[in-house]
Amino acid sequence: IFRTVNSEVCTPQFYIFNVLVLGKESCKPKTSNKTIQIEDCSAVVTVTECEGQCQSGSSFFLNINSNSGSMMTICKCCQPKTEEKRIATLACSGSNTRRFEYTYVTGCNCEDCPGK
């Protein structure tokens, strides 16, 4: 795909909004139940992780002002946007309990990939 750009639209923000956002993204929290075991204490807790697709890709851009072309690559990954701390009560032997604090993802978003 060839795109002609000028100085007003040759910004990453313009590219992300007008090119990548047009695609469908399905980045959202996915819940599952996990057993937490610490020594003789355990509990089943609901945990979340981010899962889904984000728009990524490369495009060739022709700069009409300098008669040159270049590639622009955008890499987006599904990552936590909002999260909260939760506490689970683990049941232990002998009628004892133990508290376990963990992070629960409440929202996900397509963000720049780590290391990019």
Side-chain angles (χ1 to χ4, degrees), residues 95-116:
S95 300
N96 294 326
T97 60
R98 181 177 185 163
R99 291 169 45 111
F100 174 76
E101 184 177 309
Y102 64 101
T103 301
Y104 186 90
V105 176
T106 56
C108 301
N109 200 26
C110 292
E111 301 289 343
D112 289 337
C113 294
K116 189 70 176 129

